[in-house]
């Protein structure tokens, strides 16, 4: 008996003639993520991805846990592989699921016969295996609606597989099938969640972080890098362009109206982010903006800052309240890092009374006091690239 993983797909199976492109990308992403953990052959047959261990030392628990975080996978089944023989299937189910069945009170058996040459049909397989398991575990009661354990028997072209109670996967689409986008990654709660949500739609991420040394510390910088590493468990590799932002903020403070500080700063960020995005072959920008959450996120303010961009600006949390965003942050394990008390550049030089309903021509008049192009070029020249922890 050998344990393997059967990974079930979601919306990918609804694709038409280009479905194979999505499947191939998902297999590539899984190879990239799972082989360092000891996974061996990874391949797709009949809309199911098979993950085989490299050898008997492979920790399939670790492989399964990593597979759950790969976008495109809706469920992960730890399955026992066996010959396509009813007696062998029964013995495999007894051995592989024995502890689970002994601890349960109710069960049922579902069967799927993908190999149409197998002599028994799916309902017959389920009835026969279910009856035999009930004989071996007489304390169990059959519950076809809400069983504690649902034993799955899959008779496929090559082998038969037995598993139960699959783990929920990340869902979504394979990262990379929908291109690249640049994530404005602050040290807060919202932007990592925004990156996660767009990556789930098949988008590869490049991070952009603005730092203002000495007003922001090295700990704040490391916090952002740690957030990117936490995201990588779902998104794959995330490089970060670290943009020096101190001089721009000091120039804004020295020459512009205080109530416009944040808006002018955000417009500089969008200018620079778009330049970086285009250099990195990104087709959109991603922000963690949520409508009305802070003064710079009113509709008027968002319009003023987005006016700087020709690329689309994706705001996946725009309609979410803080509680919803925090819930996702906790689920993806970024929340505790995000709330570490290290300031980011957005909290430096915060005006006491920021403008909430700005007019574009007022902002442009204030910006005219600054050498905008020179400041942007200087910031871009000072960018430091922090490479992701995952390497293809």
């Amino acid at each position: 008996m050998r344990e393997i993983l059967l990974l079930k797909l979601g919306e990918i199976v609804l694709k038409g003639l280009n479905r194979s492109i999505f499947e191939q990308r998902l297999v590539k992403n899984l190879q990239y993520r799972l082989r360092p953990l000891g996974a061996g052959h990874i391949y797709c047959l009949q809309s199911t991805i098979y993950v085989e261990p490299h050898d008997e030392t492979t920790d399939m628990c670790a492989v399964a846990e990593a597979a759950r975080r790969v976008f495109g996978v809706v469920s992960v089944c730890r399955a026992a592989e066996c010959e396509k023989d009813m007696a062998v299937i029964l013995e495999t189910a007894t051995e592989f699921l024995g502890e689970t069945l002994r601890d349960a009170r109710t069960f049922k058996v579902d069967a799927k016969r993908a190999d149409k040459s197998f002599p028994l049909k799916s309902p017959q397989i389920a009835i026969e295996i279910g009856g035999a398991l009930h004989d071996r575990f007489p304390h169990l009661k059959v519950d076809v609606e809400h069983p504690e354990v649902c034993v799955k028997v899959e008779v496929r072209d090559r082998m038969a597989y037995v598993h139960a109670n699959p783990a929920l996967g990340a869902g979504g689409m394979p990262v990379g099938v929908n291109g690249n986008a640049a994530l404005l990654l602050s040290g807060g709660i919202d932007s990592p969640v925004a990156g996660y949500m767009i990556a789930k739609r098949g988008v590869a991420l490049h991070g952009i972080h603005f730092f203002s040394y000495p007003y922001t510390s090295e700990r704040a910088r490391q916090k952002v890098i740690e957030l990117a590493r936490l995201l990588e468990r779902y998104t794959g590799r995330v490089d970060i362009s670290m943009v020096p932002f101190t001089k721009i903020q000091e120039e804004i403070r020295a020459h512009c109206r205080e109530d416009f500080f944040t808006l002018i700063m955000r417009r500089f960020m969008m200018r620079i982010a778009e330049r970086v995005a285009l250099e990195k072959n990104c087709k959109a920008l991603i922000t963690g903006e949520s409508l009305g959450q802070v003064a710079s996120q009113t509709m008027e303010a968002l319009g003023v800052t987005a006016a700087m961009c020709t690329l689309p600006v994706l705001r996946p949390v725009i309609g979410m309240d803080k509680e919803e965003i925090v819930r996702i942050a906790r689920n993806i394990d970024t929340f505790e890092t995000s709330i570490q008390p290290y300031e980011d550049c957005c909290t430096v030089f915060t005006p006491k009374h920021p403008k909430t309903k700005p007019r574009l021509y007022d902002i442009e008049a204030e910006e005219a006091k600054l050498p905008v192009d020179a400041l942007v070029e200087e910031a871009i020249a000072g960018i430091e690239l922090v490479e992701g922890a995952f390497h293809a």
Side-chain angles (χ1 to χ4, degrees):
M1 181 182 69
R2 183 177 68 154
E3 181 179 344
I4 73 166
L5 301 183
L6 301 180
L7 309 183
K8 305 299 184 177
L9 312 184
E11 60 187 293
I12 293 175
V13 302
L14 302 177
K15 300 298 178 183
L17 297 177
N18 63 346
R19 186 175 74 183
S20 62
I21 297 173
F22 291 80
E23 292 175 343
Q24 290 166 12
R25 183 67 195 207
L26 181 52
V27 168
K28 181 179 179 180
N29 292 350
L30 287 163
Q31 290 170 341
Y32 170 66
R33 301 287 295 283
L34 303 184
R35 280 184 174 166
L37 299 174
H41 193 198
I42 302 174
Y43 54 97
C44 184
L45 288 174
Q46 298 174 314
S47 299
T48 296
I49 292 181
Y50 298 71
V51 180
E52 299 178 352
H54 182 266
D55 54 38
E56 64 277 1
T57 66
T58 299
D59 183 351
M60 293 303 283
C61 291
V63 174
E65 184 59 27
R68 289 184 59 233
R69 298 191 179 106
V70 176
F71 289 129
V73 175
V74 298
S75 66
V76 177
C77 309
R78 296 181 62 180
E81 182 182 70
C82 64
E83 296 177 20
K84 294 187 288 184
D85 177 90
M86 290 296 287
V88 176
I89 292 172
L90 175 60
E91 292 304 321
T92 301
T94 302
E95 180 182 353
F96 186 63
L97 301 175
E99 183 176 346
T100 300
L101 292 170
R102 279 189 288 271
D103 292 340
R105 293 170 297 176
T106 60
F107 87 119
K108 76 170 183 177
V109 176
D110 279 342
K112 178 181 180 180
R113 186 189 66 154
D115 176 7
K116 302 307 180 186
S117 67
F118 192 73
L120 298 182
K121 294 183 179 181
S122 298
Q124 295 171 310
I125 297 170
I127 291 170
E128 187 169 325
I129 296 297
L133 286 175
H134 189 267
D135 290 341
R136 296 191 177 192
F137 301 93
H139 70 285
L140 289 173
K141 293 183 178 180
V142 175
D143 184 346
V144 297
E145 297 294 334
H146 304 289
E148 290 183 35
V149 179
C150 181
V151 176
K152 298 279 189 177
V153 177
E154 301 189 35
V155 180
R156 293 181 168 266
D157 287 347
R158 294 172 57 185
M159 303 286 284
Y161 303 90
V162 177
H163 56 91
N165 296 355
L168 189 65
M173 302 176 74
V175 169
V177 296
N178 281 325
N180 307 327
L183 170 65
L184 278 70
L185 185 61
S186 72
I189 298 170
D190 303 339
S191 58
V193 171
Y196 166 86
M197 293 177 69
I198 294 298
K200 188 173 183 178
R201 300 310 305 154
V203 177
L205 304 180
H206 179 88
I208 302 174
H209 177 67
F210 296 86
F211 67 94
S212 297
Y213 182 82
Y215 302 106
T216 58
S217 66
E218 175 62 21
R219 287 185 174 181
R221 180 178 181 274
Q222 291 302 319
K223 170 184 172 181
V224 169
I225 294 173
E226 174 61 18
L227 286 171
R229 301 301 163 255
L230 292 170
L231 278 178
E232 283 185 326
R233 296 175 304 164
Y234 298 92
T235 66
R237 177 170 170 163
V238 179
D239 294 340
I240 312 171
S241 291
M242 294 285 188
V243 183
F245 206 58
T246 306
K247 185 172 181 179
I248 290 174
Q249 289 186 294
E250 289 177 339
E251 288 291 308
I252 294 171
R253 180 178 63 176
H255 297 98
C256 300
R257 282 174 46 182
E258 181 185 0
D259 55 343
F260 288 158
F261 281 2
T262 301
L263 292 168
I264 296 173
M265 177 192 73
R266 294 288 299 176
R267 281 166 61 86
F268 269 98
M269 287 181 170
M270 300 303 275
R271 286 186 180 94
I272 295 168
E274 182 163 86
R275 285 278 299 275
V276 174
L278 292 171
E279 290 176 7
K280 300 298 181 181
N281 195 33
C282 295
K283 307 304 182 186
L285 303 178
I286 308 166
T287 75
E289 292 163 316
S290 173
L291 187 62
Q293 188 176 117
V294 294
S296 64
Q297 294 174 16
T298 64
M299 281 197 285
E300 293 86 350
L302 292 173
V304 164
T305 55
M308 300 313 307
C309 301
T310 58
L311 290 178
V313 180
L314 308 179
R315 300 182 177 95
V317 303
I318 192 71
M320 300 172 67
D321 63 31
K322 201 67 175 184
E323 184 177 340
E324 293 172 297
I325 298 170
V326 166
R327 184 163 59 248
I328 297 173
R330 290 187 186 277
N331 288 340
I332 64 176
D333 296 325
T334 58
F335 178 75
E336 294 300 329
T337 300
S338 292
I339 63 173
Q340 291 176 4
Y342 308 127
E343 290 187 329
D344 60 46
C345 70
C346 292
T347 59
V348 178
F349 310 136
T350 302
K352 292 182 180 179
H353 303 289
K355 199 76 171 176
T356 58
K357 295 185 178 181
R359 294 175 295 189
L360 182 58
Y361 60 82
D362 289 332
I363 299 293
E364 291 174 337
E366 290 299 304
E367 285 182 340
K369 301 174 183 178
L370 303 171
V372 173
D373 292 341
L375 290 171
V376 168
E377 293 299 330
E378 185 175 348
I380 289 174
I383 288 175
E384 173 195 356
L385 182 66
V386 177
E387 294 186 343
F390 283 100
H391 294 274

